[in-house]
Structures are given as C-alpha cells and as structure tokens.
Amino acid sequence: MPTLSPDDLRLIDAYWRAANYLSVGQIYLLDNPLLRESLRSEHVKPRLLGHWGTTPGLNLLYAHLNRVIRERDENVLYVTGPGHGGPGLVANAYLEGTYSEVYTGIGENTDGLRSLFRQFSFPGGIPSHVAPETPGSIHEGGELGYALVHAFGAVFDNPDLVALCVIGDGEAETGPLAASWHSNKFLNPRRDGVVLPVLHLNGYKIANPTLLSRIPEEELASLMRGYGYEPHFVTGDDPAAVHELLASTLDKVFDEIAAIRADPDTRPAWPMIVLRTPKGWTGPAEVDGQQVEGTFRAHQVPLSGTRTNAGHRRQLEEWLRSYRPEELFDDDGALVPELRALAPKGDRRMSANPHTNGGLVLRELVMPDFRDHAVQVRERGADTSEATRVLGVFLRDLMRRNPANFRVMGPDEVASNRLSAVFEETDRAWSAQTLPGDDHLGPDGRVMEVLSEHLCQGWLEGYLLTGRHGLFTSYEAFIHIVDSMLNQHAKWLKTTRHIPWRAPIASLNYLLSSHVWRQDHNGFSHQDPGFLDHVVNKKAEVVRVYLPPDTNTLLSVADHCLRSRHYVNVIVAGKQPALTYLTMDEAIAHCTRGLGIWEWAGTTDGEPDVVLACAGDIPTLETLAAAKLLRAHLPELRVRVVNVVDLMRLQPDTEHPHGLSDGDFDALFTTDKPVVFAFHGYPWLIHRLTYRRNNHRNLHVRGYKEEGTTTTPFDMVMLNDLDRFHLVMDVIDRVPHLGGKAAVLRQRMADARLAARQYTREHGEDDPAIAEWTWA
Amino acid sequence: MPTLSPDDLRLIDAYWRAANYLSVGQIYLLDNPLLRESLRSEHVKPRLLGHWGTTPGLNLLYAHLNRVIRERDENVLYVTGPGHGGPGLVANAYLEGTYSEVYTGIGENTDGLRSLFRQFSFPGGIPSHVAPETPGSIHEGGELGYALVHAFGAVFDNPDLVALCVIGDGEAETGPLAASWHSNKFLNPRRDGVVLPVLHLNGYKIANPTLLSRIPEEELASLMRGYGYEPHFVTGDDPAAVHELLASTLDKVFDEIAAIRADPDTRPAWPMIVLRTPKGWTGPAEVDGQQVEGTFRAHQVPLSGTRTNAGHRRQLEEWLRSYRPEELFDDDGALVPELRALAPKGDRRMSANPHTNGGLVLRELVMPDFRDHAVQVRERGADTSEATRVLGVFLRDLMRRNPANFRVMGPDEVASNRLSAVFEETDRAWSAQTLPGDDHLGPDGRVMEVLSEHLCQGWLEGYLLTGRHGLFTSYEAFIHIVDSMLNQHAKWLKTTRHIPWRAPIASLNYLLSSHVWRQDHNGFSHQDPGFLDHVVNKKAEVVRVYLPPDTNTLLSVADHCLRSRHYVNVIVAGKQPALTYLTMDEAIAHCTRGLGIWEWAGTTDGEPDVVLACAGDIPTLETLAAAKLLRAHLPELRVRVVNVVDLMRLQPDTEHPHGLSDGDFDALFTTDKPVVFAFHGYPWLIHRLTYRRNNHRNLHVRGYKEEGTTTTPFDMVMLNDLDRFHLVMDVIDRVPHLGGKAAVLRQRMADARLAARQYTREHGEDDPAIAEWTWA
C-alpha cells in the first residue's frame, strides 16, 4: 500500500514542477513568464546569475514537507544549507502566497510572475541566494557550514518546533558542519524541539564530486550512527519512485519523532535522511554534447547562451515546458486551486513561520536590576573584585527570571571566565551520559558548553534569529575562530535593518575574558586582541565595542547590551581580581557618556599639559599608576586622565552613531597637547578610529604589539611598553620643556623597568610592590 | 604470550616514570631536582603554571612509540594535539638527548635538570606549551583543532613517514578536527606516508566531560568506521595492563600499516587507536577531599598550595617519589643507561626527526621562468587577459618541475579561480570512489580540493612545516574562515625566526581571487576584503601583501612569493578578463619597487596638482579611467597616477621592512597635494598604514564600505563610490580653484553615475560603453 495515492502523487509532483518552473523562470526569464508564446531572445535575461543544481532537491523537500505539515499539523521551519538555492525558496514562498503578502508589488498573477522572474539576481532586485529578503529564511547560506548548528539553535527552548535542515553534501565537508552533528548531545526532547537533518547528496560541488557521495553507503550509515542518528536513505532519479519513497520515509521519520517526544527520557537515535538525487535533476540532460544533469556542470546555469544561441534557447524552452506550466497556473497566472490547497495555511507555511522572523516572537527579557549587584567602592582603587565573577551573579538572576528565553554559550570557559554563579540557577546542557561527580550537567541546562567556538556561535545565532536572547563568552584570542561567522551574521543584521517586514532581533553579545593581558600563563598562542579590529570593519550601524574598566562599569555595560536590539556587542573584561574605581552611580554616568575625564586621577581640572587616555581594564590600571607617579614626582605637570568605555565614541559622528562630534572630542583630548593612549588591543585601531581628529598628530598609542610568551602579568605589559613606567617615559618624551627633574624621573622609570624584569626573572613572579599596587 | 617480556615491561614503565617525573618537576620545582633532600618551600616555584592532566598519556604514547621505532626502524614524528602537554614533550626530548643538543646550557646532569625544571613557564624561560622551542614539535597546539590536519599535511609526499597524531578528546569537539578525519580520502598509500590518529579519551576538558567519552563505545566505533578508520580500543588505569595492551595494539596497528603499504591500491580502512586512560593519571588521587585523578580537576596544577601549604607540599613530594627517581637517574643526574637505550638513535628520535624542523629538509623549488608566461602588451590597456588563468599555466609548469615538493590547495575553487591549467600536469588528489566523467581526479593528484578552508589551510601548514612548498587559493571573502589558523601560523613564524636551531621554511602563500569586486553574482555574503586587515595585524617581519594590477605583475609577484621564506604572503588578483598595462620588464621593475608613478597615465612628469593612487586590479582600472576622463576634460590639471603593488611599502620604514622612508613617500605622494586613493579593501586600512605620513591629512581613500548585493560589476563599484566617475568628482572636490569647467564636469560625472545605474536597472547588465572601456 503506497503512502501516496495516485492523486496525491500527481498533485505533489505538480507542486514540485510548479516550484521548479518558477525557479528556472527566475534564473532565465525577463518576460513571457508563462510561455504563452515561443521564447524569444528578448524574453531572456542578458546576464544569467543563479544556481540551478541544488534547487530541484530543495523544491522536492519543500513539497513533501508541506504534506507532512498539513497532515500532522507540525510546526516546521526550513533551514537551507545550500544557500545558492535562492530560486527554489523564493518560488515556494511565492507558491504559498507569503511572497505576495510581504512584497505587495508581486502579485499572484502574470504580472506578478513577470516581476518575480525579472527581479531575481537583477540590479535593484533581489539577491541570488536564500537572502534575508527571502521569507522563511533564517540565514543566507552563502558561506557554507552553519545550517545544522543554526537549526539546533532555532529549536532550543522551542519544544513544538521542527527544524528541517537541508545540508548540501558540499557543506557537509566543512569543519563547522562536521562538528554540528554532535549538537544532538545538547538537545533535550522535553524542553527543545526537533532537528531533522536531510543530507542532500547530489554528488557534486562546483567542480568536484563530494566526499560523502563517494564512500560506500554502509560507511556513510556508520558515520551517521556514530554521530547519534538513525539514517534513512532515499535514493533515485525517477520522480514517481522518489516521491513515494520520500513520502513513506517522512512518515516513518515523523512517527519516530513522535515516539521520541513521547519518551523523552530515553536517549534517542534521532532520525535523519540521506536524499540522493541527481544534481540539476529535471534540467537539461546534456548541453553541447556534455552531460549536465547529474554532474557538477549543473551547479549554476546549465544553458549559458540562451540570449544569443538559438539552440540553447530552444533547449531552455523545452526544459521550461517540460514542467507543463499550463497545468499549473491559470489564465491569469495564478496557481491552480488544487495545488494551492497543498500549501499549509497561515503560520504553518514554512515561509511564514513566525520563528523565522525572530523579532516577531521576541519576548523582552525580564531584567534583574544590575544596580543590586554593585560592588561598594568606598575609596577609588582601594579594593579589588573580579568583574566577571560579579557579572556571573547578575547573569544567574537573569537566567532565573528568563527560564526559556536566554542562554549562555561558552567553549568550556564559562567557569574559567568566572561566571560560575550561573550554575546556581541552571546546569550545563548535556544529554549524553553523566557520571557521579559531574559538575552541574544535565538535560535541562541552559548553559551550553562545547569545545567549539563554531558551535557556540552558531547555536546562539540560531537562537537569536528565532527571537530569543543570549551571551557568548570566550577567551579573547580564540574568538577569531568565528570571524567569518560574525561576518555573515553582521551582514544579515545590516541587510535586515532595511527590510520593513523583518522585526529587530536581540543583539549578539560577546563577553571576551581571559584576555590578551591575562594569558601570561598560557603564553603567546592565547594572546590576540584583534577581534576588535575585525568587528570594527563591519557596518557601523550594527557594531558596538565596550571596554569597561572595572566591575560596576561591566555591570552597567552588560545591562545595556542585553537590552539592545540588532547589534553585535563586544565586551572585553578581565576575570582576575582588579581594582574598582567607580561607584555604581558613577559607573552608570560614565558608561552613558561612553568616555570621560576622571578628574580625581589627574592633577588638573583645567587645561592639561598632557592627556593620559586609556581603554580596557589593564591599560586603565597602568594609566592610573602612571598618573600617580606623575602626581608624586612631577606635581607641576597638569595631567588629564580620560577613560574610554565605548570605543565607538572615538570615531567621528559622521562615521558611527556613537561617534563624538569634533568639538566634544577636542574638549576631551585637546587640539594641541600630547595624548598618550594606553589601549587594550592593537594600537593602530585607535589611530584608525581617530585619524580625522584635530589632535591626531599628537596622539601616541601603546597597546599589544604581538609580543608575549608564558611569563608574569606585569612582564606582559612591559614586553609591549604598556606598563606604568613606560607610560611615564612616554609623557616625559612628549611634553616639552619639562627640565632636569623630568629627565631624572625618566631614568628612574627606565631603571624601574629593568628592576621589575630582573625581579621577575629571579623570582618567577612579579615584584609584590607592583602586583599589589593600589590607587590609594 | 604477552607482547612485552617482564623486562620490557619494567623498562618501558621506568621510561614512562622518568618522563612523568620530569614533567612534574618542570611544573613544580625550582631546585632539589632529584629529591636528594626533603622538599622545602623554596624548592617549589612561587607561581605554578602548566598542565598536568594530559601529560601522562602523552608520555605513555611516547615511550611506546619509541619501542616501535626501535624494533621496526620506523620514521615517526609526534604531532601533539593537546598542546598544553608541554612538560611531557620537553621531558621526552630531554630523555632522548635532543634537548641538550640544541640547548647546550641544559646538560644531562643534575645542573641540567635544575635548569630544565626552572626554565619551564618561567619568565625568560620556555613557554608552557609544546611551543616552537620544543624540539620535535611542528605546532604549538594551544589553539585546539589542527593536530590531525597538520599530521596529514606532514605525510603528503613523504612516503616513509608515519605521523603519530595525538588528539585530545577536547580538541575532537572542534569543527576543524571533526572534518580532518576525512583527510584519509586524500591520502595515497603509494606516494604518501601514514597518519596514525590516537584519540586520547581522558574524559575531561577544563571544566566539563568530553562528548566522545560519554557516548557508548559502539557509537564511537561506528563514528570512526564512518570516518574510514578501524578503531582499536586501549582502555585502563592499571599501568602494567595498559602497557601490555598498548604494546600489543601498536604491534597490530603497525602490522596493518605494513599490509596497507604492501597493497596500496586497495582502499584501506586505516587503523586508529582510542586510548582511554584517566586524566592526570599517576597524579594525586585526591586533594583536599576532592577527587582529582580521573577528573577535570587534574587539568592544570593538581596541588596549588605547595609553596605555603605543607600538606600539599608533602603530597607533591610523595607524588614525585612515587616515580622512584633514584632508579631512573644516576648520581650525576643522568638517565641510567638501560633507559637511555630505549630511545631511538639520531634522526629516528621523534624529537630530532628532521621533518619537524622543515627548513632542514627543504629543497629549493625548481622554478620555471615566469617571464616565459608574459602576456604581450603592445599598447597599454588595449588588450585583456585573465590574470589567474595565465598564472595557472605558470603553476602547471612549476608542478611539472617539482613533482613531490609543491601542492596547490583550494576549497573547490581552483577551477573557479581559473587555475585549471594545473590539471594538465596533475589531478586533484582523490582516494575515494571515482566515476566515469570525473574531471582530473585521482590518487596521485597534487591539487587538493575539499570544501573546507580549514583543511586546505591545515594541510598546507603541515606540508610547509615539514619542509615543502605550496599555494592556497580561495575566494577572498571566505578566507576569513581561517583567520585564527593564520594567527597561530604567523605566531609560529614569528617565534621561530628567533630560535637559532630552527631553519626557515617556505612561505605560506595565499592567492585570493573571486574577490570582493567580482562577486557581484553571488552577492553580499561573498563580499569581504577584510583578510588584509587581519594579516596586517600580524608581526611586520612575517607578513607581506601584494595587489598586482594586471597579469604580468601577478606573474612577477607570484614568482617572488614562491621563492621567499618564512613569510605569510597574500596576493589578491582577479580572474576576469581585465586590461593589461605593463610589459614584463616594466612589471618586474614595478614589482621590485613595490609602487611607483605611472607617468603614462597622468598628465605631468613634474609636480602634480593631485595624486590619483590605486592598489588592486579594479581600483587601478577605475583610477586609470578617471585619469583619462580628467585628461580629456581638464587637460590643464596636472594629475599623477601612483600604483601600489606591495601594500607594505605604504608603512613607514620604522614599522615594516618594506616600508618607504618618509622622503621617498613624500616624493611620490607630495607633502601638500590632495591624494585620492582607490583601494581594493576597506578604506581605513590605507589610513592605518599611512597615518604618520606628512601628507596624510590630504589623503582621501575610496574602498569597500560594506555595500553590496547581487548586481553588476560596475554597480558594485558605484555602490561603494569607487567608480571612475566618483573618483573624478573626488578630485574636483579636493583641488582648489578649478573653476567653472570643473563644476560642469562634476555635474556630468554625477549624471553619468545616474545614467549608468539607470541602464543597469533597465537592462540587467552594465552599459557596454563602460564594460568595454579600454585605456587606449
């Protein structure tokens, strides 16, 4: 007894043909959308852009999932790994009516079809990929590797959701995708939804076969079982046979899913599907004597000469007519009713699933009052606290108030970054085996730890894109691992700001700790502050960088970031015991301004002789120590200390929404006095932000200049000339007419550096006189 | 019949104890290295840095591999995934005598032991990891994920080499590592060596259990079989039992390897080992009432209070004495002869394997003459050629002359980047199934294509680090995927420059094509020129960036990079038909200077009114077109055109070895005239390189400002104001007193932009008048 009745089969095939027809039409046609006349040169686009190869497979799955959704009333979203398949996903959104709802200019009629076709990959139209402009998409897919991890991110804390995740066999070769399969060890069938991976083996990439299509099937099955899945193979190139096999397989798979949901405490082998169909299936079998269907030659545009080559154009027309458009669309160009009835209704349409437009389902975080976590600052720089440890308590309270709306991700570094208080509220997510002695590990956990920055980033992206909130904490150096993922997310944020029907989502928040200045123990490989440079290259409207100098400022900044929308926020903060400077009220005022003069640290409230600027906790510490040395030894020198929390304030207001006006900048940094700037990261980032400022020529920046090893904390700053002694020397070198007393002080500073280094090399630790330095 | 005789067992255990003793000694001891007296506070380091947890497993494998090497005369190198295990690898290099050979100050006696212990993780000493300073290391391992891919890189074209690759179960969670297992599909048992992966399941990371230790063993076995390996499990916590099991397993495994080598044409299931032993094995079982051995608490320093806490110190002494140092070292502190005899001899010592000091075994490339590939330039800008296609022919000849010393890596983009000529000489490496119709695919191939930038980068790193040469070609945008891998390689290069016994290796060469300006068809996700910014953050002594403007300059630059040593060279070059400007002689002269005035493109050979500078093929095209417009319409304006090939020339000579002196810079860019600079990448990179230059205040840079979509090539430059028309407008806006004619021209330019955009939106392609623009 087949799963599909003859009529079901006829209809599902027709729906698939309709999607394929619309896909080919988008790639090729400027006009004559329903082939009401013979195809002429001017009906064809002059420049053919798009990818056919993956599209028929995507369309096939779409049609079949529609049946499952209708029959079982499942809540499904469709994550497209092969992002090139833009024509297919656009076609399906159009067939379901969603497209015309959000783009009212593109109606369900012949004119609408013409516009739909013309706009695709056309200047002023829509991109060629499953872009943010595509309803139902939660990622563009152009950079391969992130489909599966996004799908998992989408279903965490969404128990009724199923993420169908199509993984191209090209994408399956990437590292992030290879690791993503293991995400099932972090999924709890009771509180989370379901990911249904479909590995689409169409056999070829751009110019090569794919690995997984060229190993024995039992080896592939073994791989999937090793990843914790039970594979179901759907193989074929005869549409009718594949329809039936795919339909029956999907029924089996959704039965298995139902069984797992019914017994959520038994560790399941999750079902997955291997769909092996030809690349460019139903397209031209052969072009100019070379096989195309079923090979890498079907990757992009199988027929390239359709404007000028009559043979190609004829082949295109045959290809288009093979879908029998006259059976699919009525005289007005609307999908015929019996096919229209195959699409799910309303929010059940995958292209209209509200989870794919995360801002729509976003619930505000219930925020604890960060002021309640303030550390007392009776005297500036007299006491120490561990900034991230205090933040951990705030995050614990936040997680308590938001039990299914906020997650923390970390590559095995949540405790190392001293956020352990969160474990008072929740566990680490873990659905694999547990043993006695395990530390806060369980299926209900909302802290996600895995030794993969890719998975942390991808899970969080998926979680945010579907309308939730979170924080990613990482060692600073290794966050570069996700540079490229950040690029794609930032591009998504930038683009969606200008798509009216897309609602803003929560910001992507990074907390980078164990930073460059405090990786003295792990050495050079763990020292790199360059993520800031990378982030600042993104569009100004979506990026924010914060360097809170102490605990209360970290709390204030974190509160601000967690409330924000549609940004990438990067916070860099230390985890070691460090001096506290600002009361909570002061911290809030300072963070609100983003930067400001710390009068109490300088020697003047008027015009200074020199400005000591700083951004970052360690640079602030060294700057304050330098200012103290100057106060003590050159009291007549008028020193102004400026601390920067919000790095984007340094840019001109024409370049960044947070940028200071030139007047405000000049008021802080003067127009003609030396500025010695101690910066957390690479020094040239400060120059890049300030090169248009009036006083830029007097700006001298110290920062990390790629010098480090396993040593002591103070030796690390000395290796990079960021230490207090060197900052004093920098001041003396730059302020004119300081006289003999300054020269003596300069020599003392140089001697102090030598002595500090000598002490370290003898004792293996920093001179306690420096290590225990306080402001008071 | 056991594999190990009782005496073998006794000896191998003693060797292991010796390595463990030396490891613990390095972490803890300042003095009293052989415990000739009771341990006192001052014998212990004040600051304990190092990682014990992974070390005993690393030492165990080392001792057992020594036996295999001795008995079978195998050529083995040891790739350490868990880079934290520095103490273990240093200990073994010391036991083999290699350490004292390269560091003559550290002898094989009591004084040497004291120095060995003291220097570890000590200021002025050696780093805590398996750093470049460690003999036998080919990578630091601090950033996890790259061990296996490096091991494969090392054995390509090294048929007699075995790379033992220890993979920590933490590292195994990373994406790059998860993908690396599939490298076996690119290995040819006939021409390549062998990788023996050992997955070391010690169960825990910093604060968490590891995934692969918490799935059923049959699931893990299935995973390994799915990856194409036959797993061998070695599990235990009783040393004697584990010794015997590991020894017999290694014998079996090396027999299997021999069988595969004897039958290289049958697709093998490569053996691998799962070694499941306790984390921190043989260390303190319990500290302060908490279990340590066998848990994540053994990750770093199990006893933290040894300087001040007498109980901890007593426990440390017991721990050290449990290895019975008095049996291992003689009165002078030298390893006893019967243990010394267990180490392989000379180059067979893993710590002295010449392949681990690649520069030692480096063979010069046999270079074809790149001049033979020159394209004829009869008239500047009259003809077009595809730069990378021509380069492909040069690379073909290079590969012909260097059949086992040079590889090309690419993420399925070698043909897409138009280097296809290489396939006239060699195939794509492929040991999985082949089918009729496959395009240049075979086990002997030396072009390595996989859809993973991580694997391409990692294979090439491993190949270079073991003394060979290569090129990595990628789409420009997606090279960010390996930002972090580049960091680690650049750190390795920087550090090894200052280690006298390390010989320079070949440079890591990138060819970035399908770049930001020619990804109009794939759209925004494929557009990102920021890798240059990332590279320029690395230490100046190791990074070089080239932007050849045409075919002959690309050939000259490529030749230069391929001959160079110990750099990271980034070349950005287009693949599309593009104008050629320089004859080969001119190209060589221009590339040798790195930048220069193109007199023929300007209107003056004297002092200019304005400088039009450019770097990159598309910016050069637009700049030349702008210059031509200015020549035609404002002939009285004195325009100088400066083209930059070697980006590092822009930096001051105090900042980069290639940097221009200020005098030379001023001679090119003037000290007071406007400079309109058209740049390939983000505009602020030019500012960051030139902010100290005299004329910086007059520098105006156009580049990619994160604006793009699927559109036409000329629309892409217009979207970012880099087009010829806008450059002319920029000139007019910046040169004073140009008068009414210029105002009219400015308006014409603005109109031309509108018209161009309008044309594009109507026709779906660029106005042929622009697209077919030539210089003549």
Side-chain angles (χ1 to χ4, degrees), chain B residues 547-564:
Chain B
L547 295 147
D550 71 355
T551 301
N552 287 337
T553 48
L554 173 60
L555 285 168
S556 173
V557 160
D559 178 77
H560 175 78
C561 292
L562 291 167
R563 291 172 187 273
S564 73

Side-chain angles (χ1 to χ4, degrees), chain A residues 4-323:
Chain A
L4 297 177
S5 72
D7 214 46
D8 287 345
L9 175 62
R10 179 183 66 79
L11 286 170
I12 209 162
D13 186 67
Y15 201 91
W16 181 44
R17 286 188 282 118
N20 286 340
Y21 181 83
L22 295 185
S23 302
V24 183
Q26 288 175 75
I27 295 174
Y28 283 96
L29 297 186
L30 268 183
D31 205 345
N32 190 13
L34 285 166
L35 294 183
R36 295 283 154 85
E37 53 183 317
S38 263
L39 204 55
R40 294 199 306 275
S41 178
E42 64 268 30
H43 297 154
V44 178
K45 297 185 182 182
R47 216 165 148 256
L48 300 173
L49 304 180
H51 294 78
W52 165 246
T54 187
T55 300
L58 296 176
N59 288 341
L60 181 81
L61 284 162
Y62 211 106
H64 280 260
L65 261 294
N66 281 347
R67 184 187 66 90
V68 172
I69 293 167
R70 271 189 351 261
E71 291 186 358
R72 297 175 184 244
D73 193 30
E74 288 279 0
N75 182 9
V76 183
L77 59 83
Y78 189 119
V79 179
T80 313
H84 283 337
L89 277 290
V90 169
N92 276 289
Y94 180 81
L95 290 176
E96 295 186 312
T98 314
Y99 211 87
S100 303
E101 288 167 19
V102 300
Y103 299 110
T104 47
I106 299 193
E108 300 184 57
N109 50 45
T110 308
D111 276 349
L113 278 175
R114 187 181 296 108
S115 305
L116 183 78
F117 289 0
R118 182 190 172 92
Q119 66 163 5
F120 176 79
S121 285
F122 205 81
I126 63 166
S128 57
H129 286 185
V130 187
E133 288 85 350
T134 312
S137 170
I138 63 165
H139 78 182
E140 210 263 12
E143 180 172 313
L144 301 176
Y146 316 128
L148 190 53
V149 70
H150 285 166
F152 274 96
V155 304
F156 292 133
D157 294 318
N158 267 333
D160 74 334
L161 192 62
V162 176
L164 171 82
C165 179
V166 189
I167 300 155
D169 45 357
E171 171 164 41
E173 296 177 11
T174 67
L177 200 293
S180 297
W181 297 103
H182 288 299
S183 302
N184 54 18
K185 281 90 187 171
F186 300 87
L187 192 86
N188 176 355
R190 195 183 288 285
R191 70 176 291 142
D192 302 323
V194 173
V195 173
L196 173 57
V198 177
L199 178 61
H200 186 204
L201 289 188
N202 67 27
Y204 295 91
K205 297 171 286 195
I206 307 181
N208 275 295
T210 55
L211 280 183
L212 298 186
S213 73
R214 296 295 181 90
I215 59 175
E217 194 156 292
E218 63 272 31
E219 201 167 305
L220 180 58
S222 186
L223 184 64
M224 290 300 127
R225 293 202 182 97
Y227 276 133
Y229 297 86
E230 188 51 43
H232 300 261
F233 286 84
V234 175
T235 303
D237 57 9
D238 170 54
V242 172
H243 282 310
E244 172 57 27
L245 183 56
L246 181 54
S248 63
T249 301
L250 280 170
D251 275 2
K252 199 184 313 170
V253 157
F254 273 83
D255 287 348
E256 286 175 22
I257 289 171
I260 292 169
R261 283 170 155 165
D263 178 21
D265 297 324
T266 304
R267 181 167 179 250
W270 289 97
M272 62 82 61
I273 294 173
V274 179
L275 175 67
R276 194 192 287 261
T277 57
K279 184 151 185 160
W281 195 17
T282 72
E286 215 181 273
V287 178
D288 300 334
Q290 287 205 296
Q291 195 196 335
V292 171
E293 187 190 21
T295 78
F296 60 84
R297 292 186 197 90
H299 182 70
Q300 295 198 25
V301 176
L303 294 158
S304 55
T306 40
R307 185 106 163 170
T308 52
N309 179 327
H312 278 199
R313 195 160 58 247
R314 196 160 42 240
Q315 238 184 313
L316 171 60
E317 183 165 350
E318 284 164 18
W319 175 15
L320 281 162
R321 290 203 190 277
S322 74
Y323 299 121

